[in-house]
Structures are given as C-alpha cells and as structure tokens.
Amino acid sequence: MEYLYEIELPLALKEMTAIYVLVDPRTNAPKYVGKSNNPPARFAQHFERKFVDHERLIPKEVWIKELFSEGLFPKMVIVKEVPEEEGEVWEQKFISEYKSMGHVLFNSANPTTPSKPKKKAYKRIPGLPGSMYE
C-alpha cells in the first residue's frame, strides 16, 4: 500500500530571508535595498571595501566611505521577512517603490530586469564562522 502526503510547512519552518534598506543617518533617506538570510553578516559585508582607493569604488561604497569620514554609519532597517524563494521579487518591489517615490538608490540592478542568477548558497550552520555564503 502506498501513502502519499503533501504537507505544507508552516511559514516559520521555511527558510526565510530579510529585505532590508540601508538608510542615510543624516537624512533618513533610503539609499540601498537588499536581501539576506543573515542581515548582521550582510551589513558587515557592505563595509569591507571602505579602504579601497576612492576612484575604484562603486557609488554605494563612495557613500559609505563619506559617512565613515563623518564618523557615521548607514542604518540597516529590516522592512520585510519573506520565504527565501520570494526574496528576489520582494527586493525588486521595494526598489521600484522607493524609486517611484523619488528616492535615488545605489542599487546597480534595474528593477525591471532580473539580476543575474547567483550560485546556490551553502546551508548556514549556526555558530560556525565562515558558513554564510551569499
């Protein structure tokens, strides 16, 4: 006898991703929209290139370097948590929404064009340094 079960997992048990906004602390204006399964680690990644020559930085990095020179950091605000498979769609929705409100964002991807596919992320192992790859 064969039994087939289709079980819908509760949302809390599914892999979730956070949609976040980097906000300019001087103006409270959104400057960058992103998504991450590990927002604290992703926040730190935004600062990795702050010591690169100014001419070689992308606009978001120039903005972050300017904030650092004033003794400031961007604020990271989580605006929504969604199932991981919906992350790209929600990220693009927020980019489009902020741009339609007149905000200038440093996102390089055009909201109407899907970004290039990324390599599949390794599963994160809580507490193990270096296990987070995005």
PDB file of all heavy atoms in Angstrom, residues 71-95:
ATOM      1  N   GLY A  71      32.260  60.079  10.654  1.00  0.00           N
ATOM      2  CA  GLY A  71      32.049  59.336  11.896  1.00  0.00           C
ATOM      3  C   GLY A  71      30.679  58.690  11.976  1.00  0.00           C
ATOM      4  O   GLY A  71      30.193  58.408  13.076  1.00  0.00           O
ATOM      5  N   LEU A  72      30.057  58.447  10.827  1.00  0.00           N
ATOM      6  CA  LEU A  72      28.701  57.883  10.781  1.00  0.00           C
ATOM      7  C   LEU A  72      28.695  56.528  10.090  1.00  0.00           C
ATOM      8  O   LEU A  72      29.611  56.197   9.342  1.00  0.00           O
ATOM      9  CB  LEU A  72      27.760  58.830  10.038  1.00  0.00           C
ATOM     10  CG  LEU A  72      27.608  60.233  10.616  1.00  0.00           C
ATOM     11  CD1 LEU A  72      26.844  61.127   9.653  1.00  0.00           C
ATOM     12  CD2 LEU A  72      26.907  60.169  11.968  1.00  0.00           C
ATOM     13  N   PHE A  73      27.623  55.776  10.315  1.00  0.00           N
ATOM     14  CA  PHE A  73      27.366  54.504   9.648  1.00  0.00           C
ATOM     15  C   PHE A  73      25.963  54.551   9.059  1.00  0.00           C
ATOM     16  O   PHE A  73      25.076  55.182   9.637  1.00  0.00           O
ATOM     17  CB  PHE A  73      27.393  53.336  10.647  1.00  0.00           C
ATOM     18  CG  PHE A  73      28.745  52.966  11.133  1.00  0.00           C
ATOM     19  CD1 PHE A  73      29.297  53.590  12.242  1.00  0.00           C
ATOM     20  CD2 PHE A  73      29.469  51.981  10.497  1.00  0.00           C
ATOM     21  CE1 PHE A  73      30.543  53.244  12.708  1.00  0.00           C
ATOM     22  CE2 PHE A  73      30.724  51.618  10.954  1.00  0.00           C
ATOM     23  CZ  PHE A  73      31.265  52.253  12.051  1.00  0.00           C
ATOM     24  N   PRO A  74      25.743  53.852   7.945  1.00  0.00           N
ATOM     25  CA  PRO A  74      24.354  53.742   7.479  1.00  0.00           C
ATOM     26  C   PRO A  74      23.551  52.923   8.487  1.00  0.00           C
ATOM     27  O   PRO A  74      24.124  52.128   9.238  1.00  0.00           O
ATOM     28  CB  PRO A  74      24.468  53.000   6.143  1.00  0.00           C
ATOM     29  CG  PRO A  74      25.820  52.432   6.084  1.00  0.00           C
ATOM     30  CD  PRO A  74      26.671  53.133   7.081  1.00  0.00           C
ATOM     31  N   LYS A  75      22.257  53.133   8.513  1.00  0.00           N
ATOM     32  CA  LYS A  75      21.386  52.315   9.352  1.00  0.00           C
ATOM     33  C   LYS A  75      20.827  51.202   8.474  1.00  0.00           C
ATOM     34  O   LYS A  75      20.512  51.427   7.310  1.00  0.00           O
ATOM     35  CB  LYS A  75      20.222  53.144   9.899  1.00  0.00           C
ATOM     36  CG  LYS A  75      20.646  54.226  10.863  1.00  0.00           C
ATOM     37  CD  LYS A  75      19.448  54.907  11.504  1.00  0.00           C
ATOM     38  CE  LYS A  75      18.806  55.881  10.539  1.00  0.00           C
ATOM     39  NZ  LYS A  75      17.736  56.694  11.132  1.00  0.00           N
ATOM     40  N   MET A  76      20.721  49.997   9.026  1.00  0.00           N
ATOM     41  CA  MET A  76      20.079  48.897   8.317  1.00  0.00           C
ATOM     42  C   MET A  76      18.706  48.698   8.937  1.00  0.00           C
ATOM     43  O   MET A  76      18.589  48.489  10.144  1.00  0.00           O
ATOM     44  CB  MET A  76      20.877  47.601   8.420  1.00  0.00           C
ATOM     45  CG  MET A  76      20.196  46.426   7.726  1.00  0.00           C
ATOM     46  SD  MET A  76      21.074  44.862   7.953  1.00  0.00           S
ATOM     47  CE  MET A  76      21.793  44.680   6.339  1.00  0.00           C
ATOM     48  N   VAL A  77      17.675  48.795   8.103  1.00  0.00           N
ATOM     49  CA  VAL A  77      16.308  48.620   8.568  1.00  0.00           C
ATOM     50  C   VAL A  77      15.710  47.416   7.845  1.00  0.00           C
ATOM     51  O   VAL A  77      15.690  47.381   6.610  1.00  0.00           O
ATOM     52  CB  VAL A  77      15.461  49.880   8.277  1.00  0.00           C
ATOM     53  CG1 VAL A  77      14.020  49.680   8.731  1.00  0.00           C
ATOM     54  CG2 VAL A  77      16.078  51.107   8.930  1.00  0.00           C
ATOM     55  N   ILE A  78      15.259  46.421   8.612  1.00  0.00           N
ATOM     56  CA  ILE A  78      14.581  45.265   8.021  1.00  0.00           C
ATOM     57  C   ILE A  78      13.147  45.697   7.729  1.00  0.00           C
ATOM     58  O   ILE A  78      12.413  46.079   8.637  1.00  0.00           O
ATOM     59  CB  ILE A  78      14.572  44.050   8.979  1.00  0.00           C
ATOM     60  CG1 ILE A  78      15.971  43.713   9.464  1.00  0.00           C
ATOM     61  CG2 ILE A  78      13.872  42.852   8.324  1.00  0.00           C
ATOM     62  CD1 ILE A  78      16.938  43.281   8.410  1.00  0.00           C
ATOM     63  N   VAL A  79      12.760  45.674   6.458  1.00  0.00           N
ATOM     64  CA  VAL A  79      11.421  46.132   6.090  1.00  0.00           C
ATOM     65  C   VAL A  79      10.435  44.985   5.900  1.00  0.00           C
ATOM     66  O   VAL A  79       9.227  45.194   5.964  1.00  0.00           O
ATOM     67  CB  VAL A  79      11.447  47.028   4.834  1.00  0.00           C
ATOM     68  CG1 VAL A  79      12.137  48.351   5.132  1.00  0.00           C
ATOM     69  CG2 VAL A  79      12.100  46.329   3.656  1.00  0.00           C
ATOM     70  N   LYS A  80      10.948  43.765   5.665  1.00  0.00           N
ATOM     71  CA  LYS A  80      10.052  42.626   5.484  1.00  0.00           C
ATOM     72  C   LYS A  80      10.846  41.335   5.587  1.00  0.00           C
ATOM     73  O   LYS A  80      11.988  41.273   5.155  1.00  0.00           O
ATOM     74  CB  LYS A  80       9.363  42.703   4.124  1.00  0.00           C
ATOM     75  CG  LYS A  80       8.202  41.740   3.942  1.00  0.00           C
ATOM     76  CD  LYS A  80       7.358  42.156   2.756  1.00  0.00           C
ATOM     77  CE  LYS A  80       6.110  41.339   2.609  1.00  0.00           C
ATOM     78  NZ  LYS A  80       5.084  41.598   3.604  1.00  0.00           N
ATOM     79  N   GLU A  81      10.234  40.304   6.151  1.00  0.00           N
ATOM     80  CA  GLU A  81      10.796  38.961   6.137  1.00  0.00           C
ATOM     81  C   GLU A  81       9.898  38.101   5.272  1.00  0.00           C
ATOM     82  O   GLU A  81       8.673  38.104   5.441  1.00  0.00           O
ATOM     83  CB  GLU A  81      10.892  38.392   7.551  1.00  0.00           C
ATOM     84  CG  GLU A  81      11.964  39.063   8.374  1.00  0.00           C
ATOM     85  CD  GLU A  81      12.154  38.421   9.741  1.00  0.00           C
ATOM     86  OE1 GLU A  81      11.707  37.272   9.930  1.00  0.00           O
ATOM     87  OE2 GLU A  81      12.755  39.067  10.602  1.00  0.00           O
ATOM     88  N   VAL A  82      10.503  37.391   4.322  1.00  0.00           N
ATOM     89  CA  VAL A  82       9.740  36.613   3.344  1.00  0.00           C
ATOM     90  C   VAL A  82      10.396  35.247   3.167  1.00  0.00           C
ATOM     91  O   VAL A  82      11.570  35.065   3.480  1.00  0.00           O
ATOM     92  CB  VAL A  82       9.664  37.340   1.979  1.00  0.00           C
ATOM     93  CG1 VAL A  82       8.961  38.684   2.118  1.00  0.00           C
ATOM     94  CG2 VAL A  82      11.041  37.520   1.366  1.00  0.00           C
ATOM     95  N   PRO A  83       9.638  34.265   2.633  1.00  0.00           N
ATOM     96  CA  PRO A  83      10.270  32.987   2.298  1.00  0.00           C
ATOM     97  C   PRO A  83      11.401  33.226   1.300  1.00  0.00           C
ATOM     98  O   PRO A  83      11.302  34.095   0.424  1.00  0.00           O
ATOM     99  CB  PRO A  83       9.141  32.176   1.659  1.00  0.00           C
ATOM    100  CG  PRO A  83       7.891  32.778   2.221  1.00  0.00           C
ATOM    101  CD  PRO A  83       8.200  34.239   2.385  1.00  0.00           C
ATOM    102  N   GLU A  84      12.479  32.467   1.443  1.00  0.00           N
ATOM    103  CA  GLU A  84      13.678  32.682   0.639  1.00  0.00           C
ATOM    104  C   GLU A  84      13.387  32.722  -0.861  1.00  0.00           C
ATOM    105  O   GLU A  84      13.940  33.547  -1.585  1.00  0.00           O
ATOM    106  CB  GLU A  84      14.697  31.590   0.956  1.00  0.00           C
ATOM    107  CG  GLU A  84      16.052  31.831   0.358  1.00  0.00           C
ATOM    108  CD  GLU A  84      17.079  30.852   0.869  1.00  0.00           C
ATOM    109  OE1 GLU A  84      16.724  29.705   1.195  1.00  0.00           O
ATOM    110  OE2 GLU A  84      18.250  31.252   0.946  1.00  0.00           O
ATOM    111  N   GLU A  85      12.494  31.863  -1.332  1.00  0.00           N
ATOM    112  CA  GLU A  85      12.210  31.813  -2.768  1.00  0.00           C
ATOM    113  C   GLU A  85      11.480  33.065  -3.278  1.00  0.00           C
ATOM    114  O   GLU A  85      11.417  33.295  -4.475  1.00  0.00           O
ATOM    115  CB  GLU A  85      11.423  30.540  -3.136  1.00  0.00           C
ATOM    116  CG  GLU A  85      10.047  30.439  -2.515  1.00  0.00           C
ATOM    117  CD  GLU A  85      10.029  29.795  -1.127  1.00  0.00           C
ATOM    118  OE1 GLU A  85      11.101  29.550  -0.547  1.00  0.00           O
ATOM    119  OE2 GLU A  85       8.918  29.562  -0.620  1.00  0.00           O
ATOM    120  N   GLU A  86      10.959  33.892  -2.379  1.00  0.00           N
ATOM    121  CA  GLU A  86      10.283  35.128  -2.772  1.00  0.00           C
ATOM    122  C   GLU A  86      11.178  36.362  -2.594  1.00  0.00           C
ATOM    123  O   GLU A  86      10.755  37.479  -2.900  1.00  0.00           O
ATOM    124  CB  GLU A  86       9.010  35.320  -1.933  1.00  0.00           C
ATOM    125  CG  GLU A  86       7.962  34.255  -2.149  1.00  0.00           C
ATOM    126  CD  GLU A  86       6.765  34.439  -1.243  1.00  0.00           C
ATOM    127  OE1 GLU A  86       6.564  35.550  -0.695  1.00  0.00           O
ATOM    128  OE2 GLU A  86       6.013  33.457  -1.071  1.00  0.00           O
ATOM    129  N   GLY A  87      12.393  36.162  -2.117  1.00  0.00           N
ATOM    130  CA  GLY A  87      13.272  37.281  -1.792  1.00  0.00           C
ATOM    131  C   GLY A  87      13.558  38.207  -2.958  1.00  0.00           C
ATOM    132  O   GLY A  87      13.483  39.431  -2.827  1.00  0.00           O
ATOM    133  N   GLU A  88      13.894  37.648  -4.110  1.00  0.00           N
ATOM    134  CA  GLU A  88      14.225  38.466  -5.293  1.00  0.00           C
ATOM    135  C   GLU A  88      13.043  39.344  -5.698  1.00  0.00           C
ATOM    136  O   GLU A  88      13.201  40.526  -5.990  1.00  0.00           O
ATOM    137  CB  GLU A  88      14.636  37.545  -6.448  1.00  0.00           C
ATOM    138  CG  GLU A  88      15.066  38.271  -7.686  1.00  0.00           C
ATOM    139  CD  GLU A  88      16.507  38.743  -7.635  1.00  0.00           C
ATOM    140  OE1 GLU A  88      17.295  38.244  -6.833  1.00  0.00           O
ATOM    141  OE2 GLU A  88      16.831  39.640  -8.427  1.00  0.00           O
ATOM    142  N   VAL A  89      11.849  38.760  -5.685  1.00  0.00           N
ATOM    143  CA  VAL A  89      10.643  39.501  -6.079  1.00  0.00           C
ATOM    144  C   VAL A  89      10.391  40.663  -5.132  1.00  0.00           C
ATOM    145  O   VAL A  89      10.146  41.787  -5.565  1.00  0.00           O
ATOM    146  CB  VAL A  89       9.415  38.561  -6.127  1.00  0.00           C
ATOM    147  CG1 VAL A  89       8.122  39.345  -6.322  1.00  0.00           C
ATOM    148  CG2 VAL A  89       9.590  37.516  -7.211  1.00  0.00           C
ATOM    149  N   TRP A  90      10.478  40.398  -3.830  1.00  0.00           N
ATOM    150  CA  TRP A  90      10.222  41.457  -2.848  1.00  0.00           C
ATOM    151  C   TRP A  90      11.303  42.526  -2.873  1.00  0.00           C
ATOM    152  O   TRP A  90      11.014  43.717  -2.727  1.00  0.00           O
ATOM    153  CB  TRP A  90      10.062  40.865  -1.442  1.00  0.00           C
ATOM    154  CG  TRP A  90       8.707  40.297  -1.244  1.00  0.00           C
ATOM    155  CD1 TRP A  90       8.331  38.990  -1.312  1.00  0.00           C
ATOM    156  CD2 TRP A  90       7.511  41.038  -0.996  1.00  0.00           C
ATOM    157  NE1 TRP A  90       6.976  38.874  -1.111  1.00  0.00           N
ATOM    158  CE2 TRP A  90       6.448  40.114  -0.906  1.00  0.00           C
ATOM    159  CE3 TRP A  90       7.233  42.397  -0.835  1.00  0.00           C
ATOM    160  CZ2 TRP A  90       5.134  40.502  -0.668  1.00  0.00           C
ATOM    161  CZ3 TRP A  90       5.926  42.784  -0.590  1.00  0.00           C
ATOM    162  CH2 TRP A  90       4.899  41.845  -0.511  1.00  0.00           C
ATOM    163  N   GLU A  91      12.550  42.126  -3.074  1.00  0.00           N
ATOM    164  CA  GLU A  91      13.627  43.105  -3.179  1.00  0.00           C
ATOM    165  C   GLU A  91      13.340  44.068  -4.331  1.00  0.00           C
ATOM    166  O   GLU A  91      13.439  45.291  -4.184  1.00  0.00           O
ATOM    167  CB  GLU A  91      14.958  42.385  -3.395  1.00  0.00           C
ATOM    168  CG  GLU A  91      16.138  43.325  -3.534  1.00  0.00           C
ATOM    169  CD  GLU A  91      17.429  42.581  -3.838  1.00  0.00           C
ATOM    170  OE1 GLU A  91      17.390  41.522  -4.493  1.00  0.00           O
ATOM    171  OE2 GLU A  91      18.488  43.068  -3.409  1.00  0.00           O
ATOM    172  N   GLN A  92      12.958  43.528  -5.480  1.00  0.00           N
ATOM    173  CA  GLN A  92      12.664  44.369  -6.644  1.00  0.00           C
ATOM    174  C   GLN A  92      11.429  45.245  -6.413  1.00  0.00           C
ATOM    175  O   GLN A  92      11.380  46.394  -6.873  1.00  0.00           O
ATOM    176  CB  GLN A  92      12.497  43.512  -7.901  1.00  0.00           C
ATOM    177  CG  GLN A  92      13.765  42.789  -8.319  1.00  0.00           C
ATOM    178  CD  GLN A  92      14.953  43.709  -8.515  1.00  0.00           C
ATOM    179  OE1 GLN A  92      14.832  44.820  -9.019  1.00  0.00           O
ATOM    180  NE2 GLN A  92      16.125  43.260  -8.088  1.00  0.00           N
ATOM    181  N   LYS A  93      10.434  44.726  -5.691  1.00  0.00           N
ATOM    182  CA  LYS A  93       9.241  45.529  -5.365  1.00  0.00           C
ATOM    183  C   LYS A  93       9.630  46.754  -4.543  1.00  0.00           C
ATOM    184  O   LYS A  93       9.160  47.865  -4.803  1.00  0.00           O
ATOM    185  CB  LYS A  93       8.215  44.699  -4.587  1.00  0.00           C
ATOM    186  CG  LYS A  93       7.417  43.756  -5.429  1.00  0.00           C
ATOM    187  CD  LYS A  93       6.386  43.025  -4.565  1.00  0.00           C
ATOM    188  CE  LYS A  93       5.614  42.024  -5.370  1.00  0.00           C
ATOM    189  NZ  LYS A  93       4.552  41.361  -4.581  1.00  0.00           N
ATOM    190  N   PHE A  94      10.481  46.551  -3.532  1.00  0.00           N
ATOM    191  CA  PHE A  94      10.890  47.679  -2.694  1.00  0.00           C
ATOM    192  C   PHE A  94      11.764  48.661  -3.472  1.00  0.00           C
ATOM    193  O   PHE A  94      11.632  49.872  -3.307  1.00  0.00           O
ATOM    194  CB  PHE A  94      11.591  47.195  -1.421  1.00  0.00           C
ATOM    195  CG  PHE A  94      10.629  46.807  -0.333  1.00  0.00           C
ATOM    196  CD1 PHE A  94      10.279  45.487  -0.137  1.00  0.00           C
ATOM    197  CD2 PHE A  94      10.061  47.777   0.483  1.00  0.00           C
ATOM    198  CE1 PHE A  94       9.376  45.125   0.856  1.00  0.00           C
ATOM    199  CE2 PHE A  94       9.164  47.434   1.477  1.00  0.00           C
ATOM    200  CZ  PHE A  94       8.815  46.102   1.668  1.00  0.00           C
ATOM    201  N   ILE A  95      12.645  48.162  -4.337  1.00  0.00           N
ATOM    202  CA  ILE A  95      13.454  49.054  -5.166  1.00  0.00           C
ATOM    203  C   ILE A  95      12.542  49.912  -6.033  1.00  0.00           C
ATOM    204  O   ILE A  95      12.689  51.140  -6.081  1.00  0.00           O
ATOM    205  CB  ILE A  95      14.455  48.256  -6.038  1.00  0.00           C
ATOM    206  CG1 ILE A  95      15.549  47.643  -5.163  1.00  0.00           C
ATOM    207  CG2 ILE A  95      15.067  49.141  -7.122  1.00  0.00           C
ATOM    208  CD1 ILE A  95      16.436  46.627  -5.892  1.00  0.00           C
TER     209      ILE A  95
END
